[in-house]
């Protein structure tokens, strides 16, 4: 089910989704009917235009904005928290300079903030993330980076989860065994609207601890120039994830 879900999402999200629509439109444009020909050309044109628009930073930021509903933490908000949980965000596979799998860029952003919070509060850390596609578990790489490089100890390592829902389900017993019910959950700001409810469903009181907000460049030109699909793809993935869990709860 996990792999099927990932395949379906990959087929829907850009670049694959718009490209498939464009190819379908080109196929329709070869029909005998003029109406179907025009419709096919229009569909292909819209799909390719959408791909171009989605690759602009300004659209990526616009899609991210509604997801970043949790504000940055203010001083004093962590006074009732018992532990900090950092969610994995992907691996850098086979990193030659490090001699094997290590943390990917999004994970690095998360552990940096989690380490900063831990040093300020002395709260214990839990890292969570498995190896859904094989290789080394994200949580093991996170601990390896946090302890020697950031100088903070990791108390719990959850290394079997394949997605956010499993991270919540498998992390909760580790926290419960230590009598912990109140946590700060560290992830990207756009990810927390989906992640927080999943941890709350496990009986935890969750304080969102967002990091790595999607912020526009001060340069209008840079915001308008097509660069990559990362921002739009992450945002659309979150919207699909929220829709999936709503449908799952309603069934």
């Amino acid at each position: 089910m996990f792999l099927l879900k990932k395949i379906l999402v990959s087929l829907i999200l850009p670049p694959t989704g718009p490209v498939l629509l464009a190819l379908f439109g080109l196929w329709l444009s070869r029909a005998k009917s003029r109406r179907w020909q025009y419709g096919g050309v229009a569909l292909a044109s819209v799909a390719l235009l959408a791909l171009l628009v989605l690759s602009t930073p300004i659209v990526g930021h616009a899609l991210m904005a509604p997801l970043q509903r949790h504000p940055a933490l203010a001083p004093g908000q962590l006074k009732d928290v018992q532990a900090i949980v950092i969610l994995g965000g992907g691996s850098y596979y086979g990193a030659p300079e490090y001699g094997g799998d290590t943390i990917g860029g999004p994970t690095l952003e998360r552990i940096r903030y989690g380490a900063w919070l831990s040093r300020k509060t002395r709260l214990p850390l839990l890292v969570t993330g498995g190896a859904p596609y094989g290789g080394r578990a994200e949580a093991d790489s996170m601990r390896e980076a946090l302890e020697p490089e950031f100088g903070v100890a990791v108390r719990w390592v959850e290394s079997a989860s394949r997605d956010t829902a499993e991270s919540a389900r498998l992390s909760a017993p580790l926290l419960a065994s230590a009598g912990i019910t109140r946590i700060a959950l560290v992830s990207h700001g756009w990810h927390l609207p989906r992640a927080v409810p999943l941890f709350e469903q496990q009986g935890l009181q969750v304080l969102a601890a967002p990091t790595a907000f999607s912020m526009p460049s001060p340069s209008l030109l840079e915001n308008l120039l097509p660069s990559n699909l990362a921002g739009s793809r992450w945002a659309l993935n979150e919207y699909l994830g929220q829709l999936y869990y709503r449908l799952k709860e309603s069934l």
Side-chain angles (χ1 to χ4, degrees):
M1 184 62 183
F2 170 79
L3 291 178
L4 176 61
K5 182 173 65 174
K6 290 295 183 182
I7 291 171
L8 289 175
V9 168
S10 180
L11 291 174
I12 294 171
L13 293 179
T16 310
V19 168
L20 290 177
L21 279 177
L23 291 174
F24 180 62
L26 292 176
W27 178 78
L28 286 179
S29 70
R30 301 178 62 187
K32 294 181 179 180
S33 168
R34 284 293 181 89
R35 181 177 296 178
W36 284 109
Q37 289 176 7
Y38 292 144
V41 171
L43 179 61
S45 300
V46 169
L48 293 176
L49 179 61
L51 193 62
L52 179 64
V53 169
L54 289 170
S55 70
T56 60
I58 194 169
V59 172
H61 294 310
L63 290 171
M64 286 286 194
L67 294 169
Q68 297 180 145
R69 65 187 69 147
H70 294 289
L73 289 181
Q77 282 188 271
L78 289 164
K79 58 184 176 62
D80 295 324
V81 169
Q82 297 171 289
I84 298 169
V85 176
I86 309 175
L87 295 175
S91 293
Y92 172 18
Y93 296 109
E97 69 273 40
Y98 293 107
D101 296 350
T102 186
I103 54 173
T107 304
L108 176 60
E109 292 175 323
R110 296 175 186 183
I111 69 168
R112 180 190 179 194
Y113 185 53
W116 186 77
L117 290 177
S118 181
R119 284 194 297 268
K120 289 178 69 71
T121 61
R122 303 298 178 186
L123 290 170
L125 285 177
L126 182 150
V127 293
T128 170
Y133 302 110
R136 189 181 192 194
E138 292 176 41
D140 292 332
S141 297
M142 293 163 75
R143 176 171 59 180
E144 184 181 75
L146 280 162
E147 293 184 339
E149 297 178 34
F150 287 89
V152 295
V154 175
R155 183 169 176 183
W156 306 277
V157 177
E158 186 290 296
S159 58
S161 58
R162 297 173 297 175
D163 57 21
T164 308
E166 289 188 1
S167 285
R169 181 169 56 82
L170 297 177
S171 296
L174 298 176
L175 297 167
S177 66
I180 290 174
T181 59
R182 302 185 303 276
I183 66 168
L185 187 62
V186 176
S187 189
H188 283 68
W190 43 261
H191 181 227
L192 285 171
R194 181 162 58 96
V196 167
L198 293 173
F199 276 78
E200 289 177 337
Q201 289 170 13
Q202 300 301 319
L204 295 164
Q205 297 178 43
V206 183
L207 173 67
T211 188
F213 290 86
S214 176
M215 305 298 291
S217 166
S219 167
L220 178 61
L221 179 62
E222 186 177 5
N223 288 323
L224 293 174
L225 288 176
S227 55
N228 62 71
L229 291 162
S232 295
R233 184 179 173 85
W234 279 113
L236 293 173
N237 182 70
E238 287 305 306
Y239 288 122
L240 282 177
Q242 292 181 17
L243 177 62
Y244 170 78
Y245 286 117
R246 288 197 192 102
L247 291 175
K248 189 176 179 181
E249 290 174 1
S250 66
L251 295 178

